[in-house]
Amino acid sequence: MLILDFNDSALRLFDDDQLLASSPACAVLDGEDFLLGEKALAKSRLNPRATYLKFWEQLDQQPLNRPAGSARSHADIAYYHLRDLLEAANTGERKVLLIVPAHYGSERLALLLGIVQACSLRVTGIVESAVLAAASIPDTPAGGGDTLRYLDISLHRVSVTDVNRTDHLQTGTARELWTPGLSWCVEQCIHQISQRFLQETRFDPLHEAASEQRLFDQLPGWWQTFREHPKLTVELPAGLRQHRIEWRREQAELVLDSCYQELQKVVQEAAGRVLISHRLAALPGLVETLRPCGETLVLSDTALIDCAREQQERLCSEAEAPLWVKQLPLPSASGEPGAAAPDADRSDKTQLQATHLLHDSCATPLASDLRWPDHKPLLHFQVVEGQYQVEALAAAIQLNGQPLAGVATLALGDILRTPQGEVQMIQVESGH
């Protein structure tokens, strides 16, 4: 089984043993084709007008503002990006578990499922990152009334998700801070460094695209250095000269202070332990800034992945339509962390209802009376006595591989084959 950790700062694909591929959400149009992931990042400052960073954040099928090769929408670019990630992974495994943030609502999730399906993958389960983060903590005390808080960052937002602890762990309130996310933090640091170069050496790294790209490329390494050292020497070449400045961690903390202040309030107001993702913990000095504000715990970069592997039987199924898991048992519910316990909500799959029709990477919400498609309908869907029924309006319609004659009652996961392609009955729960 594959595990896709879905965060646009870097989509990460794992198998049962290791990380197969990682790719940040960046696309640069090069002629008629796209450079994607790390290759795109390495060119993003050289050609900013041809750079796309928000295709996962603004996932939709609306026409792009300007032509972009063969891509007509953000969904097209997202498809190319995921396909490129799979090619880099070089795996024949087709089953995948998705880890998604709690703020990822039903409409975007439905479109994401369509893109994953278009890449010849079969989603066997969907789990929210916050509840998986909470379940990854083996020493969480049993009992009710407490709340865990999960902090994470993506390219364009910082998210705060509460996980309620009663007799199980369940996603509660999810919100985003005003801080725009990792891209904003990067821009603040780049601007600060360039200003210091100007003041101390009269060299402006932002004057030429090439030097700006070098600064951008090296910034993650400098952040990592700050984990062990309070200062470092920043060097950038310009012609035959090598310009140097000293950059201190406290200076980086200062330029990111507005973000850090918001996060301090979030930790201070938390009712229980605050879990910090490895992505957020990478910001220079943030962890040290938050520790005095409350009980915090930094998760490892594989904490959610390891927990997903342990919970695989609970999170995944062979059903045609994946479940969106928002709750898990307390880690202390059994003698071994991550051990599966009975779950009546998941075992009784016959009670689950389809909410959307999935066709050609597009999910259409079901209605009490729906003819599909709008132009020259092939299928007529109706709700009769609480059950969803379908009637074939054309020949050569099949339901689960058998000819559809007359009216049939539909169940979650059913597949209808039509002259315009397959239509699948899927379930998407309401987002927060």
Side-chain angles (χ1 to χ4, degrees), residues 292-308:
C293 302
E295 185 182 1
T296 60
L297 177 65
V298 176
L299 301 179
S300 73
D301 60 346
T302 61
L304 275 62
I305 309 304
D306 295 338
C307 184

Side-chain angles (χ1 to χ4, degrees), residues 25 33 236 310 350 360 392 397:
D33 299 317
L236 289 174
E310 293 174 354
T350 60
D360 195 21
I397 305 292

Side-chain angles (χ1 to χ4, degrees), residues 1-25 55-56 59 78-89 91 93-102 104 108-109 111-130 132 150 152 278-279 301-309 312 315-316 323-324:
M1 181 192 71
L2 301 174
I3 300 175
L4 177 60
D5 181 18
F6 189 79
N7 184 296
D8 62 6
S9 66
L11 272 65
R12 301 188 301 160
L13 189 67
F14 296 80
D15 64 7
D16 292 333
D17 301 311
Q18 62 184 335
L19 174 67
L20 298 177
S22 176
S23 181
F55 48 88
W56 285 117
L59 186 61
Y79 165 72
Y80 297 147
H81 184 222
L82 181 56
R83 187 180 64 182
D84 185 73
L85 179 73
L86 291 171
E87 290 175 356
T91 176
E93 178 61 61
R94 296 292 92 186
K95 296 180 181 179
V96 63
L97 169 68
L98 300 183
I99 301 176
V100 298
Y104 217 71
R108 283 197 300 174
L109 182 59
L111 192 51
L112 169 61
L113 289 174
I115 292 171
V116 172
Q117 184 185 61
C119 290
S120 301
L121 293 176
R122 186 166 77 81
V123 178
T124 60
I126 307 163
V127 59
E128 291 189 350
S129 55
L132 203 58
Y150 179 58
D152 198 7
H278 70 282
R279 290 175 281 258
D301 60 346
T302 61
L304 275 62
I305 309 304
D306 295 338
C307 184
R309 289 175 179 140
Q312 180 174 342
L315 301 175
C316 302
L323 294 176
W324 189 355

Side-chain angles (χ1 to χ4, degrees), residues 156-168:
H156 308 289
R157 66 174 73 201
V158 178
S159 60
V160 181
T161 309
D162 289 335
V163 179
N164 301 320
R165 288 197 303 112
T166 52
D167 56 343
H168 56 269

Side-chain angles (χ1 to χ4, degrees), residues 385-407:
E385 297 181 355
Q387 292 184 318
Y388 224 79
Q389 296 186 348
V390 62
E391 178 185 7
L393 302 179
I397 305 292
Q398 291 186 344
L399 173 61
N400 298 328
Q402 300 296 322
L404 175 61
V407 177

Side-chain angles (χ1 to χ4, degrees), residues 2 8 52 58 88 102 121 180 209 224 226 241 259 336 347 350 374:
L2 301 174
D8 62 6
Y52 297 83
Q58 298 176 355
L121 293 176
Q224 190 168 1
F226 278 147
R241 298 186 60 185
C259 171
E336 299 181 7
S347 62
T350 60
D374 293 336

Side-chain angles (χ1 to χ4, degrees), residues 140-148 163-169 330-333:
T140 301
D146 201 1
T147 302
L148 294 170
V163 179
N164 301 320
R165 288 197 303 112
T166 52
D167 56 343
H168 56 269
L169 298 165
L330 292 169
S332 57

